[in-house]
């Protein structure tokens, strides 16, 4: 057999030509037309991927190669980010593109209880092959379960017939309902507080002290005192950044969306007050992709704010998530804002010291900032003066499940679930008897009705293996089973694990398999849960076992 020997110099040339994929000129021209004059910075990678996905309905190999070339990135960098997020559809060469319309059926706990499984079975038969029907994790509308999203248009209390009508009408864009816009907000005295601060009528120490005295704690789940956080970040060297977390992906939680859809400038003014008090130079707002209506509102209202500013404003950047629950964790969110996969960072250092782009970063949940203006106007005593059973403050409870009036209910901190259901939610649904409840969303555990008199607040639920988190309350009735709820929640955690650490990646999948067994191996589940709690990098893996442990402890009759 004859052997062809290529000289070393020519061999190197051949390798350089074969290395990687050639850029398709047509695809490159399409990418350039979409990006226009926008910067090609690395942190804008996810934003640019969205532009391609929105325009073509998917991400082709040719477009990914072209985008990598245009942004001067390695193809692996672009592909690893695009493949990490649920809402990016990568289509390989020669493969069929997804259907023009995608119908997402929320299959998280509240929607499953309201009939999501039946919808997932019926819709493919009704809609045919021209429409893609897929299950989706929580879309943040649990009060209207079951929810189906057609394109970007959510359909509350969905029926198969209602979905078919929306698809036939090609109603895939979401139009936000009426809300308090910039002009109306200014008429009501909005941004007056911010003007006073920048005019020197108030100082940042005064503002910070009001927040400390009010007792307001972070309302995204961690519960860190807001005023103390401002002081910590302000003590760090400039420039300092603010990252606002509106990646509200915890099943059962929808309070941030509720407030954004009604009074967005109350949040924006609170955000700017916090930025001023902490000496922030730039603000980044991270909004989950499922909230298309909120994105439309914020884009419009931030533009109105910039066009007629009440005072000097820091740069405000609105960044779009892409379907990843893990990005609700503060450091994973920061990675995503930087255009990377949403992988939690190891700590220390903490984001207050080394956060977004390596700068000291103040991270806040949206609802925490929503209350800032009102607390400063009315005083710390006003906020702290609310509360029951020895607790202080107000909480926005996202209530869903078997109650007559699900929704966001503003109630005193420390109220019990029995009081909340009776006084704010119109009682249980007709024909349903209170059986159990989730006091803190998917990761907050499950408790029986017999423990319905525990005050709902920070630090009150931990002795029972639970926590309040973002105050997402899901009510179970005698027609539900806690074991089914735990199985649904573990499925969610298994699908949403970022995969970075083995205890979470493997542990959630193994736990789900054990929960699918006819008889639970409680000893093995307990051992596996402890490993996940002890060794997982972030709160997802650490909290994922909570529902299972609670069921074994508080609902022994279901697994006997």
């Amino acid at each position: 057999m004859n052997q062809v020997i290529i000289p070393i110099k020519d061999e190197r040339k051949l390798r350089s030509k074969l290395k990687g994929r050639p850029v398709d000129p047509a695809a490159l021209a399409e990418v350039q037309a979409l990006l226009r004059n926008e910067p090609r910075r690395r942190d804008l990678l996810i934003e640019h991927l969205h532009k391609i996905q929105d325009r073509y309905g998917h991400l082709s190999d040719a477009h990914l190669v072209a985008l990598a070339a245009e942004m001067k990135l390695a193809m692996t960098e672009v592909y690893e980010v695009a493949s990490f997020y649920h809402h990016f559809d990568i289509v390989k060469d020669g493969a069929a593109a997804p259907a023009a319309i995608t119908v997402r059926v929320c299959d998280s706990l509240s929607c499953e209880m309201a009939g999501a499984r039946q919808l997932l079975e019926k819709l493919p038969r009704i809609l045919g092959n021209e429409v893609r029907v897929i299950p989706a994790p929580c879309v943040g509308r649990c009060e209207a379960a079951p929810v189906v999203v057609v394109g970007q248009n959510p359909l509350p209390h969905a029926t198969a017939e209602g979905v078919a009508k929306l698809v036939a009408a090609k109603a895939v864009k979401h139009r936000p309902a009426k809300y308090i816009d910039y002009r109306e907000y200014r008429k009501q005295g909005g941004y007056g507080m911010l003007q006073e601060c920048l005019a020197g009528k108030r100082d940042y120490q005064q503002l910070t002290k009001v927040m400390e005295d009010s007792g307001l704690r972070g309302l995204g789940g961690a519960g860190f005192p807001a005023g103390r956080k401002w002081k910590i970040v302000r003590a760090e060297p400039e420039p300092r950044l603010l990252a606002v977390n509106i990646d509200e992906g915890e099943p059962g939680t929808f309070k941030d969306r509720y407030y954004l859809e009604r009074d967005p400038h109350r949040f924006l003014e609170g955000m700017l007050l916090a930025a001023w008090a902490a000496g922030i130079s730039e603000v980044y707002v991270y909004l989950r992709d499922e909230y298309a209506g909120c994105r439309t509102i914020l884009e419009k209202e931030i533009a109105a704010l910039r066009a007629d500013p009440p005072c000097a404003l820091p740069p405000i950047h609105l960044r779009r998530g892409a379907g990843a629950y893990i990005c609700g964790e503060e450091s994973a969110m920061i990675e995503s804002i930087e255009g990377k996969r949403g992988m939690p960072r190891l700590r220390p250092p903490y984001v207050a010291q080394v956060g977004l782009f390596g700068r000291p970063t103040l991270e806040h949940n949206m609802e925490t900032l929503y209350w800032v203006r009102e607390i400063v106007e009315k005083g710390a005593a006003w906020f702290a003066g609310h509360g029951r059973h020895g607790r202080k403050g107000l909480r926005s409870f996202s209530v869903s499940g078997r109650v007559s009036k699900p929704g966001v209910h503003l109630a005193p901190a420390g109220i019990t679930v029995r009081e909340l259901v009776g006084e704010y939610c119109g009682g249980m649904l007709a024909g349903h008897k209170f059986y159990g409840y989730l006091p803190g969303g998917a990761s907050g555990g499950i408790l029986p009705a017999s423990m319905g008199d525990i005050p709902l607040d920070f630090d009150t639920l931990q002795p029972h293996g639970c926590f309040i988190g973002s105050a997402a309350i899901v009510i179970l009735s005698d027609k539900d089973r806690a074991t089914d709820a735990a199985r649904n929640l573990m499925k969610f955690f298994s699908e949403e694990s970022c995969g970075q650490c083995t205890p979470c990646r493997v542990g959630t999948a193994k736990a789900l398999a054990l929960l699918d067994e006819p008889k639970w191996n409680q000893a093995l589940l307990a051992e596996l849960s402890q490993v996940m709690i002890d060794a997982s990098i972030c709160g997802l893996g650490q909290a994922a076992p909570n529902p299972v442990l609670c069921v074994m402890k508080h609902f022994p009759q279901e697994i006997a």
Side-chain angles (χ1 to χ4, degrees), residues 29-45:
E30 290 168 345
V31 168
Q32 290 171 337
L34 285 173
L35 270 52
R36 289 184 265 186
N37 296 324
E38 294 194 30
R40 270 59 169 171
R41 298 195 315 268
R42 176 67 173 79
D43 62 288
L44 293 173
L45 173 57

Side-chain angles (χ1 to χ4, degrees), residues 99-161:
I101 297 178
T102 295
V103 170
R104 289 182 167 86
V105 181
C106 177
D107 66 352
S108 289
L109 181 57
S110 297
C111 285
E112 182 179 273
M113 290 163 61
R117 286 187 186 179
Q118 291 81 356
L119 283 172
L120 279 166
E121 292 171 3
K122 291 174 67 174
L123 285 174
R125 297 196 301 268
I126 294 174
L127 301 177
N129 296 329
E130 300 303 312
V131 176
R132 180 174 60 160
V133 178
I134 58 175
C138 187
V139 297
R141 295 180 179 273
C142 317
E143 82 280 20
V147 180
V148 172
V149 182
V150 179
Q152 293 182 337
N153 192 357
L155 179 64
H157 305 294
T159 63
E161 295 74 19

Side-chain angles (χ1 to χ4, degrees), residues 37 49 107 133 199-200 205 234 250 280 326 336 351 359 364 382 427 429 466 468 470 481 483-484 497 507:
N37 296 324
L49 287 168
D107 66 352
V133 178
Q205 292 101 330
R234 191 175 182 98
E250 180 82 1
I280 299 298
I326 190 62
S336 191
V351 299
R359 301 308 311 163
H364 264 313
W382 166 78
L429 277 174
C466 299
I468 193 168
S470 58
R481 286 174 57 83
T483 49
D484 291 338
S497 172

Side-chain angles (χ1 to χ4, degrees), residues 383-458:
F383 188 79
H386 294 86
R388 288 190 190 177
H389 306 296
R391 314 303 296 181
K392 294 182 178 180
L394 290 166
R395 293 305 300 261
S396 301
F397 293 96
S398 304
V399 185
S400 61
R402 311 296 193 180
V403 293
S404 297
K405 289 172 56 181
V408 173
H409 297 290
L410 184 63
I415 193 171
T416 70
V417 73
R418 209 178 297 279
E419 292 168 338
L420 183 66
V421 170
E423 297 175 32
Y424 290 83
C425 302
M428 296 292 292
L429 277 174
H432 290 259
K433 182 181 177 182
F434 183 33
Y435 177 66
Y437 65 108
L438 281 65
S443 53
I446 308 175
L447 292 173
S450 60
M451 300 177 70
D453 296 314
I454 301 168
L456 296 172
D457 198 15
F458 298 112

